[in-house]
Amino acid sequence: MNAVTDPAGRITAVAGALLVAALAVSLDGGSSTLPLSLLGAGTVLGLFVLVPRAIAGVRRHPALLIGVALAALPLAMTVFFGYFADGRTLWMIPELVVALVPLAIIALAALGGLILIADDLRARFGLAQRGLTPWQRLTGTAQRPLPAPWRAVGGLALVGLALILGLGYIGASGSSDLLSLVLLLVLGGGAAAIIAVPLLIAGLARSDRARLTTAREDERRRVAAHLHDSVLQTLALVQRQAHDPAAVQRLARRQEHELRAWMAGEVELGTETLGAALRKAVAEVEDDYEATVEVTILGERVLDREAEALAAAAREALRNAARHAGSPIFVFAQASPDGAEVFVRDEGPGFELATVPTERRGVRDSIIGRMQAVGGRAEIDSVPGEGTEVALRIGVTG
Amino acid sequence: MRIVVVDDHHLFRAGVRAELTPHHEVVGEAGTPAEAVAVIAEAKPDVVLLDVHLPDGGGVAVLEALAGDGAPKVLALSVSDAAEDVVPMIRAGALGYVTKTIDTSELLVALATVAAGDAYFSPRLAAFVLQAFSAPVQPKSELEALTPREREVLHHLARGYAYKRIAARLGISDRTVETHVGNVLRKLQLTSRHEVSHWAATRGLVSDDEESTP
């Protein structure tokens, strides 16, 4: 946007003119009333533009606060040392300006140099592939101003210049050692912060991206496990009961309800405690397979993520038992806020885990994988001819 | 085997009688504790099949009235799956507990086990007893706490293992498993009323007022 047609630009221009007028009048000497009122008007106008922009800028780039602090410091120090230390009044505008200008120049040089160095570092560590570099934001150009090594060299030169100017200024003004020490410390701290903060932000953004990828993978596994437990199981049942239209219809209707509830984001099992979820799973399996399940549940636990996985894994184990072994099936669960264990046992033919084909996902993904995904444990103890017991545990169990 | 059935539901008594008659002799029926005590005194059965939930004091009242020498063996029976109903029955002298959904063959096994003077622990009873002994109260003596082996046996029973399988898994004899179960039963009956009610109170099974009554 053109600076002259932009209302903010116009206000800035007027404010600048007022400030220059105040400077001119005060350097001319005479009464302090006129320059003060001009200065006040300019400042007020400037604040109208600068404060909202500064707030917006800081909100987008918190690192800018350091720049603001750095720019405000000379003013604050001038006020402090000028007013409180020497007892001189603030009405002496010329001295104020004389003190401010060199410090502002030094701060600008240092900032520019540091931004160039930070730019170079970001490019070197591959953190600036996307978006504009600070330098591009400052200059408004899309092109990079200088090839990589020259930016760093230019930045170092600017910082060096700022240091020389600063030391020269301190020497010329004959300030105390304390002041020069403070100045150097502030410049050094600011430099470190300006280089470190963008690096830190970029690093955090990168680890966020990594976490997001893991979360997506977890979500995919969760969806796959859910589909296996629900839709694929129902389809298998439908195939086996194709001769019974009523049963097929019942299975299809229930699956439809379940899938809709799941897609609407309701809790996977529609229950709030582990005990309720287990009982529901048992009821489903008894219904689907006409199996008899003896359930004993001691204690209770809220159906958090771990307990949900535990209940889902137990349901899968129950289905396996009902499908491969038949009645009786025993479920024994002990739950507490610290942990929970569920045993699902059948007295069927048993099997050897090593001989289960990999394409049968049931045991691997729906039971073992599911438990591992929430930091739980699954043990399968099967003796050919004697039966199978699946032990599922989360947290600390007694 | 001579059996008395005590249950306040007439239809249920009729059902059990029909189930048991081909195998055993049902020598009496009762619907209340008072009736039960009278019928048992007269019929002198080998085993009493006793419902937990009865009017006027429940099954526990019958067990307390029967306590003493020559009392028949009692198998507790309930639709309830609440530990606070079941554990007091065992403490009062019942040798086993089954749910009313038990199938006939299993009920016959349970009756035979109890008639022989052995404990019949269904998976659910084993679980309840395991929970009762997990109470955070210090037992008065070592005698009253479960040994790790007894705990292991109970845990297996709760998971539905038969004595024979438990013996094989733990590498001990069938008879040793029976001994462990018997010891558990004895320890449960030895624990003081205060400890059991404290255990129940800490699980919200009874109110604290009940706990404080002697």
Side-chain angles (χ1 to χ4, degrees), chain A residues 145-197:
Chain A
L146 293 165
W150 298 114
R151 263 185 301 167
V153 171
L156 283 173
L158 271 176
V159 171
L161 176 69
L163 271 176
I164 291 166
L165 280 176
L167 289 173
Y169 172 72
I170 290 160
S173 63
S175 304
S176 65
D177 286 334
L178 180 67
L179 179 62
S180 50
L181 187 66
V182 168
L183 256 180
L184 282 174
L185 279 177
V186 167
L187 281 173
I194 283 174
I195 293 172
V197 167

Side-chain angles (χ1 to χ4, degrees), chain A residues 30-51:
Chain A
S31 143
S32 62
T33 321
L34 186 62
L36 259 186
S37 45
L38 285 172
L39 180 71
T43 310
V44 169
L45 276 175
L47 284 179
F48 265 110
V49 178
L50 289 179
V51 167

Side-chain angles (χ1 to χ4, degrees), chain A residues 279 294-299 330-332 334 341 343 345 347 381 383 385-387 389 398, chain B residues 81 83 99 122-125 127-128 130-131 134 155-156 158-162 165 168-169:
Chain A
R279 279 181 231 279
E294 169 139 10
V295 198
T296 311
I297 298 168
L298 300 181
F330 298 93
V331 175
F332 174 51
Q334 282 186 295
E341 56 182 355
F343 297 88
R345 202 179 77 84
E347 297 187 333
D381 179 8
V383 181
E386 290 200 357
E389 184 176 49
Chain B
D81 58 356
T99 58
S122 64
R124 187 163 294 161
L125 175 59
F128 289 161
L130 199 60
Q131 190 183 33
S134 308
H155 205 273
H156 275 89
R159 283 144 64 188
Y161 283 99
R165 290 273 163 75
R169 281 175 71 91

